[in-house]
């Protein structure tokens, strides 16, 4: 794969993924603009993630059946139109419905991942996954920063309208630059849908990776959905732009994921998973100090969210590398099963995080993160996988 093509694919991943995350920074602005409680405005974030989960299950399998260029351009065009509708939403229910539609269609990154995995050798897959994930992280971070800053200046609708224009422009660029590919499958649509369920039932390494990512991503989503409520609440009294600045500090994650990919290629995904899960657990303890408020609290939130971002994304590189090695002939179905489980966890986490924040405050959200990380770590330590047993035997 050429560097130019890899860069284009990484940018596409960033733009697509950014649409999932930028509503997290403007939740309080949506609440004020539409005159609804902040907890109700958080349904916009949950709706986007639920839609994304549906898109993963219903649309990503078509990546094995349709030419990639036409499929990606269609997805981006639908996303752009959905963002336009969201930016013009007159009421919260309309906005949640439009957000659901955006989530369903903005799955381009998950169509690109199995495509790229099939274009490189096994010993370079981790590095490519790390590069694509860096693009996704860049989109996630810049989207939060852009939406928080632009929303403070021009209102909550502006980020949606600008994002719509960017996505439609990218669709036009891809239609003229992306190479033509041949579909890898001619199976029927129902067969493609059931393939991911069958793989989830028969492949233990896939189930293990799904469990790791679902639990960690649930905690990650709970933190990032609730941190906006913390920073804009009475303890800190800051604006939505503060959330975007906090997210921007996490840009260090973009530098860490390619390194994580190389470590996966050299050391194997299990060791990277172990370090990542310990990192998530430590981040919960650091984030809990954010309840102190003031400069010390902001420092704890900054350090904790950076550690959480690095650990979660590094774990995703390890998990995807393991998943794509399970069945090279079924990477689309494998990725569908994996990412659907991950975003089911994320959707549940964003919904649960807001409710725990309402009842137990920021400390309760940190306890939730620690509990979920402990579950994944216990699974990793107590129930050894066949791959880890094989690694130990081969090292003797």
């Amino acid at each position: 794969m050429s560097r130019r093509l890899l860069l284009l694919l990484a940018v596409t991943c960033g733009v697509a993924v950014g649409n999932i995350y930028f509503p997290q920074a403007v939740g309080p602005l949506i609440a004020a603009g539409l005159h609804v409680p902040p907890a109700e405005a958080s349904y916009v974030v949950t709706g986007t993630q639920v839609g994304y989960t549906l898109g993963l299950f219903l649309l990503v399998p078509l990546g094995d059946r349709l030419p990639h260029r036409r499929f990606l351009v269609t997805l981006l065009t639908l996303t752009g139109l959905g963002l336009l509708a969201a930016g013009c939403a007159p009421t919260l229910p309309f906005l949640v419905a439009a957000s659901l539609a955006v989530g369903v269609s903005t799955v381009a990154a998950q169509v690109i991942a199995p495509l790229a995995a099939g274009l490189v050798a096994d010993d370079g897959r981790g590095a490519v996954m790390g590069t694509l994930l860096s693009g996704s992280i860049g989109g996630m971070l810049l989207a939060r920063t852009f939406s928080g800053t632009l929303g403070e200046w021009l209102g909550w609708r502006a980020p949606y309208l600008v994002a719509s224009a960017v996505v439609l422009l990218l669709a036009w660029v891809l239609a003229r630059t992306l190479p033509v590919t041949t579909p890898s499958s001619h199976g029927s649509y129902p067969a493609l849908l059931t393939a991911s369920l069958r793989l989830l039932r028969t492949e233990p390494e896939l189930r293990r990776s799904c469990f790791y990512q679902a639990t960690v991503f649930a905690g990650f989503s709970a933190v990032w959905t609730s941190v906006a409520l913390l920073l804009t609440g009475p303890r800190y009294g800051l604006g939505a732009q503060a959330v975007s600045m906090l997210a921007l500090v996490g840009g260090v994650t973009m530098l860490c994921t390619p390194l994580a990919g190389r470590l996966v290629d050299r050391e194997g995904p299990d060791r990277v998973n172990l370090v990542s899960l310990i990192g998530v657990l430590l981040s919960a303890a650091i984030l809990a100090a954010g309840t102190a408020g003031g400069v010390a609290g902001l420092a704890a939130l900054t350090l904790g969210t950076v550690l959480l971002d690095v650990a979660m994304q590094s774990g995703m590189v390890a998990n995807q590398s393991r998943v794509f090695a399970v069945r090279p002939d079924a990477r689309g179905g494998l990725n569908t099963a994996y990412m659907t489980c991950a975003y089911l966890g994320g959707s549940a986490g964003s919904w649960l995080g807001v409710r725990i924040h309402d009842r137990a405050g920021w400390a309760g959200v940190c306890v939730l993160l620690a509990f979920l990380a402990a579950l994944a770590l216990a699974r990793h330590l107590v129930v050894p996988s066949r791959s880890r047993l094989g690694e130990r035997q081969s090292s003797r």
Side-chain angles (χ1 to χ4, degrees), residues 76-99:
L76 290 171
T77 301
L78 292 174
T79 300
L81 295 176
L83 289 166
L84 179 62
C88 299
T91 63
L92 181 63
F94 189 99
L95 177 57
V96 172
S99 299

Side-chain angles (χ1 to χ4, degrees), residues 113-134:
L115 165 66
L119 297 178
V120 296
D122 291 348
D123 59 357
R125 187 173 298 123
V128 170
M129 291 299 102
T131 300
L132 293 178
L133 191 54
S134 288

Side-chain angles (χ1 to χ4, degrees), residues 253-298:
T253 315
M254 296 178 63
L255 304 176
C256 294
T257 47
L259 174 61
R262 290 192 289 272
L263 287 174
V264 169
D265 291 335
R266 186 171 67 247
E267 303 291 340
D270 286 326
R271 294 183 180 179
V272 175
N273 268 137
L274 177 61
V275 175
S276 298
L277 292 173
I278 293 173
V280 174
L281 199 57
L282 289 175
S283 74
I286 297 171
L287 286 167
T291 57
V295 175
L298 280 175

Side-chain angles (χ1 to χ4, degrees), residues 317-389:
V317 173
N319 289 328
Q320 281 194 308
S321 182
R322 182 191 298 110
V323 165
F324 287 143
V326 170
R327 286 274 304 276
D329 61 326
R331 289 194 175 105
L334 289 166
N335 198 50
T336 296
Y338 169 70
M339 294 305 300
T340 299
C341 290
Y343 275 88
L344 280 173
S347 300
S350 64
W351 181 87
L352 188 59
V354 171
R355 275 134 197 88
I356 288 179
H357 185 272
D358 284 347
R359 291 165 174 76
W362 179 248
V365 176
C366 295
V367 170
L368 173 64
L369 174 63
F371 173 72
L372 293 169
L375 282 180
L377 185 59
R379 168 64 180 86
H380 194 71
L381 295 175
V382 175
V383 188
S385 71
R386 290 179 296 177
S387 63
R388 289 205 295 278
L389 289 172

Side-chain angles (χ1 to χ4, degrees), residues 10-11 13-26 133-151 159 162-163 166 224 240-241 243-254 309:
V11 170
C13 288
V15 171
V17 169
N19 295 322
I20 309 169
Y21 291 98
F22 81 75
Q24 292 178 343
V26 294
L133 191 54
S134 288
S136 298
I137 294 167
M140 177 179 67
L141 297 175
L142 292 175
R144 287 181 183 142
T145 303
F146 135 82
S147 64
T149 303
L150 191 62
V162 173
V166 171
W224 275 107
Q241 193 170 0
V243 183
S244 64
M245 291 298 105
L246 181 64
L248 189 60
V249 174
V252 66
T253 315
M254 296 178 63
D309 284 8

Side-chain angles (χ1 to χ4, degrees), residues 143-234:
R144 287 181 183 142
T145 303
F146 135 82
S147 64
T149 303
L150 191 62
E152 287 280 1
W153 291 346
L154 301 176
W156 68 266
R157 298 180 188 275
Y160 283 95
L161 299 176
V162 173
S164 173
V166 171
V167 170
L168 292 174
L169 177 62
L170 181 59
W172 180 82
V173 171
L174 286 178
R176 285 155 177 76
T177 59
L178 201 63
V180 176
T181 57
T182 302
S184 59
S185 172
H186 298 285
S188 65
Y189 180 61
L192 292 173
L193 290 181
T194 57
S196 59
L197 297 176
R198 185 170 59 253
L199 288 166
L200 192 60
R201 186 181 68 251
T202 59
E203 299 294 342
E205 292 295 88
L206 172 61
R207 291 197 301 272
R208 181 163 71 99
S209 298
C210 289
F211 182 73
Y212 293 163
Q213 198 62 34
T215 51
V216 171
F217 195 52
F220 175 89
S221 297
V223 166
W224 275 107
T225 304
S226 302
V227 75
L229 302 176
L230 174 67
L231 291 177
T232 58

